[in-house]
Amino acid sequence: MTDQAVEREVGRARLRKEDARLITGQTNWTDNISVTGLLHMAILRSPMAHARLERVDVSPALGRPGVVAAYSGRDLAEGLGSLPCAWPVTEDMVLPDHPPLAVDEVRHAGDPVAVVVARDRYAAADALEAIEVDYEPLPPVLDLEAALAEDAPLVHADKGTNRAYVWPLRTGEDYESVRQRADVVVKRRYEQQRLIPNAMEPRAVVVTPLAASGEYTVYSATQIPHILRIMLSVVTGVPEHKLRVVAPDVGGGFGSKLQVYGEEALALVVARKLGRPVKWTESRSEGYLATHHGRGMIQDIELAATAEGRLLGLKVDLLADMGAYLMLVTPGIPILGAFMYPAIYKMDAYEFNCTGVFTTRTPTDAYRGAGRPEATYAIERAMDELAAEVGLDPVEVRRRNWIRHEEFPYTSIAGLTYDSGNYEAATDKALALFGYDDLRAEQAKRNERGDTVRLGIGVSTYTEMCGLAPSRVLRDLRYSAGGWEAASIRMLPTGKVEVVTGTSPHGQGHVTSWSQIAADVLGVPFEDVEVVHGDTKVAPQGMDTYGSRSLVVGGAAVHRAAEKVVDKARKVAAHLLEASEDDLEFRDGVFSVKGSPEARKTIQELAFETFTSHDVPEGMEPTLNAEHVLDPENFSYPHGTHLCAVEIDTETGQTRIRSYVCVDDVGRVVNPMIVEGQVHGGLAQGIAQALYEEAVYDTEGNLVSGTMADYLVPSAPDLPEFVTDRTETPAASNPLGVKGVGEAGTIASTPAVVNAIVDALRPLGVHDVRMPCTPERVWEAARSARRSAAAGKEGSA
């Protein structure tokens, strides 16, 4: 047999294996699934933000053509429990019931009220208008501060409060004592607007029952098939071993499909009642109401520093909008950010307080970055304000405070141990690519001339915690699950390889990356590796995909499982070659005896020899297959520097991104092309928060940005050309040295853009522009600053 290829796969820009099916339409989206006897479910949703349900009469819908069944919340209450919250962040957290179908009260516009099941989706949707509902209006609860007043109307009257929890963190010295010795104190309030996820594929679910055995297969456009299986069992009472959950091709998630939704539970319960398969697919406008939202937060941040710009302390007070209910990880999202507000900076004191607040709006939960973009935004905006206060360049004030590369590993003031990093290298590379000094010189000249079109330069230096993470740490944070991940390797008799992973992709490129990892360890061709995922029957163990954990934890598990295969193969090779295991070398998929290279066995040959089991070592099981469950020892910490230049027409408020440069350090790179794609996608979402996207409610709690005509999702022409590059400091916490990249672009880009906008307008007296920085808001900020300056001159005169 000839020697096998020696080119390493990890680090190679491979085209994605997944893409051929996707671009030729040979996909299996949940909505594509059709089975014999399929029924379609439609959901009537409340048009009111808060109301008591006086009467829900579904009987008129039963007479509509094609309708098979219709149910109110009371009709299904007996077989349906409360939707789960897996993160009770404090012992005394207020946890209201969350019925998948409202029974007595609706608490946000879009809250489900009734269900119709029909022979086709159009008949089901049409029949909804026949349902009769009497609503008794109740006061909406929208303002976070007003919601905490003693006389505020209550979202959940039985709980007696709109305060879900208070979560504090205090580390280092006492903040107040540090504040007393500070030369400069910077206080700012920032608002994180609500964002609505817009995955390419809407949510959908299909449930197929097998009546004879009481088994159910649930197909769902989900990020979390394994978690969903457990939680659906809890909510519906269907035994877990009778449930199979399949995530087919999933067209994006961004956190919105990291959820156990009422529609999934309803479809399962209805399929059980009717004994027939049931499908539900959301419309876009329905998704804007019913899919959880992201962000939604008021941030009061205070920095204490010396006159030279050295940080002494940081204080953060958050009001976090929970929405109407606590969904799967709703209360924990702001808590993730708690550990990231200190970011890459050294300081003596840190104080953090978060208050979760119920409102009569769609619940919030994970959205790309989940708590960490909010933290990075606040600290990076505040660092620019500190630079302005002490008269330093924004880059210089960061240099004076960041952790230097020789100090790693470094335990941050928030208690996290950053294992590796080099902020200096990433920043220097970004500044050079950006032409920072030249842009500053141009800016100075334009400001001196008093140009109408102002140039602004924004800086964002970030780190994030990825790879959720050691199970013991999650226990201490009161999270209900672990942070481990599972993988197994099956060596087939023909020498081909199947990788079974507990992570479930929805656009990240798992199949390609996992093939590269396995191919390198096993020494087999990339094309000979198949990756199996997203089916709890085929891949029974897993903790799924979110928090940039797939590669850091799931990919590392694949690596370890592959190493176990090699260890088993070594025993067989030693036996067949009549040599000691210590005398064998393994390279490029070939075992050979040291000093006798002609005595050799390929790993494919060993797979077949083991399959026949004619001559394996005594007591060895006849398989090379192996599995590994990896519980990470630490989070991982990608970092980087993002720079943005904007031009703002102060007469119209129009903002144009002139250039954008980012240098990210995501540790060792498995596939540069996939990393590039992840960075570009993340940048698009972060820039969208800065400039375009916002969930807007009226005074009655109605979502008025409830369609794509009202909610601005940027397309390619709305975004600039990106200049991206990387530095590389391998992670010490996993065998691959990887750090995660899925959320980096989103986390870093929002403050870079807003810092650039404020930097352009600062000479006019502007210190903040509320996101999204629409032309109207930018124009108004400039106009107000000019008026204030003029009034000041008149007063002094």
Side-chain angles (χ1 to χ4, degrees):
M1 181 175 287
T2 59
D3 286 343
Q4 302 180 67
V6 296
E7 184 175 358
R8 306 303 291 173
E9 286 293 340
V10 170
R12 189 176 176 187
R14 279 279 194 181
L15 292 175
R16 300 198 327 170
K17 286 184 174 183
E18 302 91 326
D19 288 350
R21 287 189 312 104
L22 295 172
I23 63 178
T24 57
Q26 299 177 63
T27 47
N28 188 33
W29 311 115
T30 302
D31 191 50
N32 294 152
I33 295 170
S34 183
V35 294
T36 302
L38 182 65
L39 300 174
H40 295 263
M41 186 174 79
I43 297 173
L44 181 68
R45 300 185 181 278
S46 170
M48 306 186 71
H50 199 194
R52 190 170 290 109
L53 292 175
E54 295 293 306
R55 182 176 70 98
V56 180
D57 186 359
V58 299
S59 58
L62 295 171
R64 290 296 185 98
V67 171
V68 173
Y71 305 103
S72 68
R74 292 191 184 281
D75 295 331
L76 297 179
E78 187 175 337
L80 206 51
S82 178
L83 292 174
C85 174
W87 203 338
V89 293
T90 64
E91 190 173 349
D92 60 351
M93 185 184 81
V94 175
L95 181 56
D97 285 341
H98 184 185
L101 205 57
V103 177
D104 299 310
E105 199 169 306
V106 291
R107 294 182 172 88
H108 67 91
D111 217 354
V113 173
V115 166
V116 169
V117 187
R119 292 185 177 88
D120 67 67
R121 66 178 61 186
Y122 306 106
D126 288 344
L128 292 179
E129 31 181 70
I131 296 174
E132 297 175 2
V133 184
D134 292 338
Y135 297 95
E136 180 188 336
L138 296 171
V141 179
L142 302 170
D143 182 274
L144 296 182
E145 291 177 307
L148 298 177
E150 285 189 17
D151 59 347
L154 298 176
V155 181
H156 299 274
D158 60 317
K159 300 302 179 184
T161 181
N162 289 321
R163 184 178 285 103
Y165 64 86
V166 176
W167 195 92
L169 177 66
R170 290 170 176 79
T171 60
E173 299 179 35
D174 176 67
Y175 174 78
E176 287 304 319
S177 63
V178 166
R179 186 181 190 277
Q180 291 301 316
R181 69 171 189 262
D183 301 310
V184 177
V185 175
V186 175
K187 297 179 70 173
R188 295 290 185 270
R189 167 168 283 203
Y190 301 121
E191 184 175 337
Q192 293 282 328
Q193 77 272 36
R194 277 175 166 251
L195 302 178
I196 302 177
N198 278 273
M200 186 173 289
E201 178 203 19
R203 292 190 295 118
V205 60
V206 174
V207 178
T208 61
L210 187 60
S213 60
E215 295 177 274
Y216 301 87
T217 298
V218 179
Y219 300 90
S220 180
T222 182
Q223 298 175 218
I224 52 167
H226 297 89
I227 295 172
L228 180 59
R229 182 190 188 206
I230 295 167
M231 294 304 187
L232 282 179
S233 176
V234 171
V235 173
T236 66
V238 175
E240 186 183 348
H241 67 289
K242 297 290 187 180
L243 276 176
R244 174 188 181 188
V245 175
V246 180
D249 292 312
V250 177
F254 314 117
S256 70
K257 295 172 183 172
L258 164 58
Q259 194 55 263
V260 178
Y261 282 106
E263 294 86 359
E264 291 160 321
L266 287 169
L268 177 54
V269 167
V270 169
R272 179 171 62 183
K273 286 180 76 72
L274 299 178
R276 290 179 61 178
V278 172
K279 177 191 284 188
W280 172 81
T281 302
E282 74 178 1
S283 67
R284 284 288 176 188
S285 56
E286 188 177 21
Y288 274 47
L289 289 170
T291 296
H292 73 241
H293 293 178
R295 316 289 191 253
M297 187 183 294
I298 296 172
Q299 303 169 302
D300 287 309
I301 186 165
E302 182 175 300
L303 297 180
T306 67
E308 295 76 32
R310 191 181 82 78
L311 282 174
L312 297 175
L314 169 64
K315 182 180 180 182
V316 178
D317 287 297
L318 301 184
L319 291 179
D321 187 352
M322 304 286 98
Y325 303 100
L326 302 182
M327 297 190 76
L328 191 65
V329 291
T330 301
I333 297 304
I335 307 308
L336 282 175
F339 301 96
M340 286 288 98
Y341 281 87
I344 65 174
Y345 305 117
K346 296 179 285 188
M347 60 193 73
D348 302 326
Y350 175 45
E351 182 176 318
F352 174 91
N353 299 281
C354 178
T355 301
V357 184
F358 290 113
T359 63
T360 53
R361 287 187 280 226
T362 300
T364 58
D365 210 302
Y367 181 72
R368 198 171 190 170
R372 291 154 292 160
E374 298 93 309
T376 300
Y377 180 85
I379 186 63
E380 288 304 291
R381 285 286 295 111
M383 289 298 285
D384 262 33
E385 296 302 302
L386 174 61
E389 288 282 340
V390 298
L392 288 173
D393 182 271
V395 174
E396 178 58 28
V397 82
R398 288 165 170 82
R399 288 188 191 279
R400 294 187 182 189
N401 288 287
W402 66 34
I403 303 155
R404 303 195 62 81
H405 70 276
E406 64 268 14
E407 297 179 277
F408 289 95
Y410 185 90
T411 300
S412 77
I413 189 73
L416 299 177
T417 300
Y418 299 170
D419 59 335
S420 68
N422 191 328
Y423 309 140
E424 305 98 302
T427 303
D428 289 343
K429 194 169 192 178
L431 292 172
L433 289 169
F434 192 62
Y436 187 82
D437 292 339
D438 290 343
L439 281 168
R440 283 292 183 201
E442 179 188 344
Q443 181 189 47
K445 290 178 182 177
R446 291 170 69 161
N447 286 347
E448 188 177 344
R449 293 195 304 263
D451 285 4
T452 299
V453 177
R454 297 279 178 154
L455 175 64
I457 298 165
V459 182
S460 173
T461 50
Y462 79 99
T463 189
E464 58 163 324
M465 53 193 287
C466 290
L468 298 173
S471 296
R472 294 172 302 282
V473 172
L474 297 181
R475 171 203 63 197
D476 294 342
L477 292 174
R478 300 180 60 85
Y479 184 58
S480 298
W484 54 266
E485 194 48 77
S488 61
I489 307 287
R490 298 199 288 245
M491 289 294 301
L492 304 181
T494 56
K496 310 303 182 186
V497 179
E498 288 179 337
V499 174
V500 182
T501 176
T503 60
S504 180
H506 41 282
Q508 297 91 335
H510 289 49
V511 172
T512 303
S513 300
W514 278 213
S515 294
Q516 292 179 272
I517 293 167
D520 270 3
V521 177
L522 299 173
V524 302
F526 169 80
E527 295 77 10
D528 286 357
V529 182
E530 188 70 27
V531 178
V532 181
H533 58 79
D535 184 337
T536 61
K537 191 170 186 178
V538 178
Q541 283 188 293
M543 290 302 296
D544 305 317
T545 297
Y546 41 86
S548 297
R549 71 183 302 272
S550 289
L551 180 59
V552 175
V553 191
V558 170
H559 180 89
R560 290 296 193 206
E563 288 181 328
K564 288 183 177 180
V565 169
V566 173
D567 290 343
K568 293 176 80 171
R570 184 183 299 276
K571 296 181 186 300
V572 180
H575 176 76
L576 294 175
L577 295 172
E578 298 181 343
S580 166
E581 290 183 42
D582 295 336
D583 290 334
L584 292 184
E585 292 179 332
F586 181 67
R587 184 177 180 183
D588 300 326
V590 178
F591 289 96
S592 60
V593 179
K594 296 174 185 176
S596 302
E598 70 283 355
R600 62 204 300 279
K601 287 285 184 181
T602 68
I603 197 166
Q604 292 95 330
E605 290 173 323
L606 296 170
F608 188 78
E609 294 277 6
T610 309
F611 165 71
T612 66
S613 197
H614 292 168
D615 189 12
V616 294
E618 191 70 31
M620 181 178 176
E621 61 181 9
T623 175
L624 296 184
N625 298 348
E627 63 180 34
H628 189 83
V629 179
L630 185 144
D631 199 343
E633 62 187 54
N634 192 5
F635 297 91
S636 63
Y637 300 97
H639 68 82
T641 297
H642 288 223
L643 300 168
C644 178
V646 301
E647 290 185 324
I648 295 176
D649 187 332
T650 55
E651 292 185 345
T652 66
Q654 186 64 43
T655 299
R656 181 181 74 89
I657 297 179
R658 173 168 149 179
S659 61
Y660 195 101
V661 169
C662 63
V663 175
D664 296 295
D665 190 326
V666 298
R668 192 180 182 197
V669 172
V670 173
N671 188 314
M673 187 184 70
I674 290 176
V675 167
E676 194 82 355
Q678 287 288 305
V679 170
H680 278 224
L683 292 176
Q685 285 187 273
I687 292 170
Q689 179 174 7
L691 296 179
Y692 301 112
E693 297 188 29
E694 181 178 24
V696 179
Y697 286 82
D698 66 16
T699 57
E700 297 301 313
N702 300 303
L703 182 66
V704 297
S705 57
T707 71
M708 283 189 168
D710 310 297
Y711 184 91
L712 301 182
V713 180
S715 60
D718 300 308
L719 299 167
E721 291 289 327
F722 302 125
V723 176
T724 64
D725 209 332
R726 291 185 298 277
T727 54
E728 186 173 308
T729 54
S733 57
N734 64 76
L736 291 169
V738 296
K739 294 184 176 181
V741 70
E743 297 161 308
T746 301
I747 288 169
S749 57
T750 307
V753 174
V754 178
N755 275 342
I757 291 169
V758 175
D759 182 66
L761 301 177
R762 195 179 296 280
L764 304 178
V766 174
H767 299 285
D768 191 33
V769 179
R770 187 163 65 88
M771 294 190 293
C773 301
T774 61
E776 181 183 4
R777 286 178 179 169
V778 171
W779 173 81
E780 179 58 38
R783 187 178 71 129
S784 296
R786 286 183 176 129
R787 282 182 171 177
S788 296
K793 287 180 181 178
E794 289 178 8
S796 61

